[in-house]
Amino acid sequence: MSSSDNFDTIDQVLAALYARQPESKIEARLDPTKRLVDLMGSPQANYKIIHITGTNGKTSIARITERLLREHGLRTGRLTSPHLVKFNERIALDGEPVEDQRIIDAFQENLPLIDLVDQELELAGEAALTFFEVFTALAFHVFSDAPIDVLVLEVGIGGLWDATNVADADVAVFGSIALDHQKTLGETVEEIAETKAGIIKPGSIVVSNSQLASVEAILRRHAENDVFIGGGEFKFSDAEPDGFGTRFTVQAIFSEYPSVWMPIIGQHQAQNATTAIVAVEAFLGRSIADEVLRAALADAITPGRLQVVSKEPLVVLDGAHNPAGLESLREAMNWHFAAPKAIGVVGMVGDKDLVSSAQELAGVFEHLIITSVPGGRGIPASELEAVFTDQGVLVDEIDEDFWSAYSSAVKLGAETNRPVFVSGSLYLVGALLERLQDKDDGEE
């Protein structure tokens, strides 16, 4: 790739980005991204940063945080990954995916700098800039050009050496920390927490979901500023299902917010929303006006996270992809849907803890269909079925084609009046959402 190549369309730009080392193959380093953004003029320094990490809940916290900030009249950016349907979802301005042209312009303008860093890395015997390193730097450029007031920034993986960590957090936010990506982040929750705590900078205010005592101690040790951790400095209570949403009360830093409602399902999402509310309070340095909070929460969405895509039959898509996430799914099914006799469609990627994931789903579904996640990372349905069976999970059907598996489940759900839950991977959920969107648009 060179600056003499033509990159006039979003497809050409994305092809160039995807040709790089994929985000599933991590380079545990920060210097190349720092070198690139320094050459770009440090665009990430031109706005405030709320930086979010954790094992589960990052994107939900990011979306709710951004929606609350926007209701205050601030111009917002939001950087999340992966996308579900369209790449532009990753880079949002004022809550909406950016236009293709903004990405094209950023790529064209910075391609000579990208090439320069690639050449420097080659001379040093190191791998070229990865997809995620280039994507992150380009997103910072887009947000600087917009311009924005505040960026809600989701970590890719980990924290300390994640490409997003070239930005300095005004507020460092932690979703629940559990085991995931152990080969990269560490074999224990405490090792993982140490890596994730790397987003805490000298001036950062720290806000976190409730954590294990050992994890909480790590976060407090890394912090030099105020620390607010769920269950201690703030909490939520009285959470209950309310229609296709959740009602709960928040005791935050500056105020109590009684009986607020959001169209998002799950008691764990009440915790995520509470953390988002406290993060915004910490960022603003004051309480949130009641009408502002209620309006923002009522409009908050978290696609692919316990997302209801049909009510008759009930069909819920949830991108839970590790044991802790699947535990939250199981608990939400009991808590919100009264432990229904449900039909499950499950597909996973191969680099996850398949054994523990299978154990979390034991006895959850009355009828279970195992399928394959599209793309190179998905584990074949037959292999996943073998893992589930070895863990004593009864598998009723195997269907390698995800759309066929989904269609069969929905048909069976309609015939037997049973709900359908699809889970195991955000990539599976994204592929289904794309097909459903195409179907709604009249395509076959």
Side-chain angles (χ1 to χ4, degrees):
M1 185 195 312
S2 75
S3 54
S4 62
D5 295 326
N6 291 323
F7 297 100
D8 299 323
T9 69
I10 191 65
D11 287 341
Q12 290 171 326
V13 171
L14 293 183
L17 290 177
Y18 287 136
R20 293 177 173 274
Q21 183 169 304
E23 57 192 324
S24 59
K25 294 183 179 179
I26 304 303
E27 291 287 340
R29 63 187 190 181
L30 201 57
D31 287 346
T33 309
K34 187 175 188 312
R35 171 65 171 153
L36 179 56
V37 295
D38 284 350
L39 290 170
M40 292 166 63
S42 299
Q44 78 283 0
N46 292 334
Y47 32 78
K48 298 290 188 180
I49 301 284
I50 297 179
H51 205 174
I52 301 171
T53 189
T55 305
N56 292 300
K58 295 190 299 292
T59 300
S60 294
I61 293 171
R63 283 182 165 273
I64 297 168
T65 298
E66 187 273 339
R67 185 62 191 86
L68 287 164
L69 293 167
R70 189 155 31 97
E71 195 68 21
H72 284 86
L74 295 169
R75 186 153 207 221
T76 61
R78 185 184 70 233
L79 185 69
T80 55
S81 59
H83 60 277
L84 290 173
V85 177
K86 189 176 180 183
F87 178 87
N88 305 49
E89 296 168 23
R90 295 169 177 251
I91 307 172
L93 286 173
D94 292 325
E96 295 295 329
V98 298
E99 304 92 339
D100 290 348
Q101 195 60 48
R102 287 185 182 269
I103 300 173
I104 296 167
D105 290 347
F107 187 79
Q108 290 176 336
E109 182 174 339
N110 291 292
L111 184 53
L113 305 179
I114 296 168
D115 287 341
L116 174 59
V117 176
D118 279 342
Q119 291 164 13
E120 292 174 349
L121 289 169
E122 183 180 4
L123 287 172
E126 295 186 40
L129 288 163
T130 67
F131 162 86
F132 194 76
E133 289 168 338
V134 175
F135 153 70
T136 300
L138 292 177
F140 288 150
H141 174 104
V142 169
F143 293 130
S144 181
D145 267 10
I148 61 171
D149 299 310
V150 54
L151 172 60
V152 180
L153 176 61
E154 179 189 322
V155 161
I157 293 178
L160 178 63
W161 37 254
D162 186 79
T164 63
N165 205 33
V166 297
D168 292 334
D170 294 277
V171 183
V173 183
F174 295 82
S176 300
I177 296 176
L179 293 175
D180 197 15
H181 299 289
Q182 287 99 309
K183 290 181 181 179
T184 305
L185 301 181
E187 293 297 327
T188 67
V189 174
E190 291 75 19
E191 289 176 336
I192 292 171
E194 286 283 357
T195 301
K196 293 182 185 294
I199 71 167
I200 301 173
K201 304 297 173 61
S204 302
I205 300 171
V206 175
V207 175
S208 173
N209 276 8
S210 59
Q211 306 285 0
L212 293 172
S214 57
V215 171
E216 178 177 336
I218 290 167
L219 299 184
R220 292 189 186 277
R221 172 165 52 79
H222 279 266
E224 297 180 14
N225 206 331
D226 292 333
V227 180
F228 304 99
I229 295 183
E233 287 81 9
F234 66 91
K235 62 182 179 179
F236 74 95
S237 60
D238 303 326
E240 59 182 5
D242 187 340
F244 287 97
T246 304
R247 188 171 296 279
F248 56 106
T249 292
V250 176
Q251 181 64 56
I253 306 169
F254 295 102
S255 291
E256 179 175 336
Y257 307 101
S259 193
V260 296
W261 181 85
M262 62 182 181
I264 301 171
I265 292 169
Q267 192 168 16
H268 64 293
Q269 293 288 27
Q271 175 176 251
N272 290 333
T274 298
T275 298
I277 289 167
V278 172
V280 172
E281 276 198 344
F283 178 77
L284 297 174
R286 56 179 171 80
S287 61
I288 303 170
D290 187 76
E291 64 275 12
V292 169
L293 177 69
R294 292 179 190 277
L297 282 182
D299 189 48
I301 58 170
T302 56
R305 281 80 178 173
L306 286 169
Q307 179 180 359
V308 177
V309 295
S310 170
K311 294 181 180 178
E312 291 185 2
L314 176 66
V315 180
V316 181
L317 307 184
D318 188 65
H321 52 273
N322 54 40
L326 291 166
E327 179 184 12
S328 293
L329 168 64
R330 175 168 50 79
E331 291 175 349
M333 289 175 64
N334 291 331
W335 184 73
H336 198 102
F337 299 104
K341 294 181 177 180
I343 299 163
V345 179
V346 175
M348 299 189 72
V349 298
D351 61 354
K352 298 300 179 182
D353 185 347
L354 303 178
V355 170
S356 296
S357 295
Q359 292 169 350
E360 287 295 341
L361 293 178
V364 170
F365 299 113
E366 190 178 55
H367 187 96
L368 177 60
I369 303 174
I370 296 294
T371 191
S372 299
V373 178
R377 293 180 64 190
I379 183 172
S382 57
E383 293 182 23
L384 184 59
E385 185 270 343
V387 174
F388 274 56
T389 299
D390 285 347
Q391 297 306 310
V393 180
L394 178 63
V395 176
D396 298 279
E397 297 180 49
I398 304 173
D399 193 331
E400 295 286 351
D401 181 81
F402 75 94
W403 182 249
S404 173
Y406 174 82
S407 300
S408 297
V410 173
K411 183 174 183 290
L412 182 61
E415 291 171 348
T416 60
N417 195 31
R418 286 183 290 179
V420 176
F421 291 83
V422 182
S423 192
S425 170
L426 280 168
Y427 296 101
L428 173 61
V429 168
L432 282 171
L433 286 171
E434 185 173 16
R435 288 292 293 268
L436 290 169
Q437 183 176 300
D438 289 344
K439 189 176 179 182
D440 288 342
D441 291 341
E443 300 179 17
E444 291 298 328

